[in-house]
Amino acid sequence: MELAKSFEPAEIERRWYEHWESSGYFAAGLDRSKPADQSFCILLPPPNVTGTLHMGHGFNQTLMDALTRYHRMRGWNTLWQPGTDHAGIATQIVVERQLDAQGISRHELGREKFLDKVWEWKEYSGGTITQQMRRMGTSPDWSRERFTMDAGLNKIVTETFVRLYNEGLIYRGKRLVNWDPKLHTAVSDLEVVQEEEDGFMWHIHYPFSDGPIGELTGLTVATTRPETMLGDVAVMVHPEDERYAHLIGKTVRLPLCDRDIPIIADDYVDREFGTGVVKVTPAHDFNDYAVGQRHGLPMINVLTSDQHS
């Protein structure tokens, strides 16, 4: 047989990987005679079935594979648990875009047929991901592969949730989220595309609740978001700002609402920006939400579920 003039990795790697997998070389060990400290397990952070693997996946899977093989060769009970994640909303958006390209909406298709399309995409994307992992030579125990919507996993998730709830570690409360007014659901920070736009600084006068204090009749707030003013619950100054230190703890009247709100101090304020006085709207800004949590402020939502902020 003539030796090839150049190395052909695709053919050689494919043949050997099929041999390794079929021979069970990646199967998890379970030798109960070994001490507990000779066990090693990595759960693959499940890639979302919204596309294919990228360089970041290749990097972290290389590290996991090296650690797994190292402990396997030491004779330890070793498991690298593979799986993929449904990534519900993100996957739905991918499928909806595919349908839009065909001039079809999910509403026209109906719930059941749309779910069928989502599952078709899961099989395609999930299959592509696992084939990419095999192509890279990774060595998870494929006999244990899981998907985050598998029935067995759903049962465990429910059981864990109930147990944590009964222990008081899970509770229901108000929290600021990224809200999609089209899909009517919260979306993760990873799925939000931030865009910078030219804004305009508005100056709004908040009069003191009990009348003038010295020569001041109130505080002037500089803001780029006057439309959220109805949800203000405080105005804020820097604790070391000499211009306003004597006003901390007093109250101002919120324009248009005739509602008194406190003047608070927080290091978050940039004394050099605007007037050095900031309005606090915990229900409509992540920074304001953090301030509200620190100072125990209420949250007032002034938007409905189908409005754009």
Side-chain angles (χ1 to χ4, degrees), residues 7 10 20 24 30 32 43 48 64 114 167 198 253 280 286:
F7 176 54
W20 293 341
L30 188 59
R32 298 186 185 279
L43 172 64
N48 295 339
M64 286 184 278
F114 179 73
E167 293 175 2
D198 292 333
R253 183 65 55 89
V280 184
F286 284 100

Side-chain angles (χ1 to χ4, degrees), residues 267-282:
D267 291 336
Y268 171 70
V269 179
D270 181 354
R271 286 177 283 183
E272 306 302 321
F273 182 77
T275 61
V277 182
V278 181
K279 69 190 197 70
V280 184
T281 320

Side-chain angles (χ1 to χ4, degrees), residues 17 40 42-48 52-69 72 80-84 126 128-140 142:
Y17 194 91
F40 182 79
I42 294 181
L43 172 64
L44 173 72
N48 295 339
T52 56
L53 301 183
H54 50 66
M55 288 297 292
H57 292 107
F59 173 69
N60 66 34
Q61 289 184 17
T62 297
L63 298 178
M64 286 184 278
D65 192 43
L67 289 168
T68 300
R69 289 175 182 267
R72 186 184 292 133
W80 185 8
Q81 171 67 56
T84 50
T128 300
I129 287 171
T130 56
Q131 286 305 313
Q132 285 180 294
M133 291 183 65
R134 287 178 167 90
R135 183 69 182 82
M136 288 191 293
T138 58
S139 63
W142 291 112

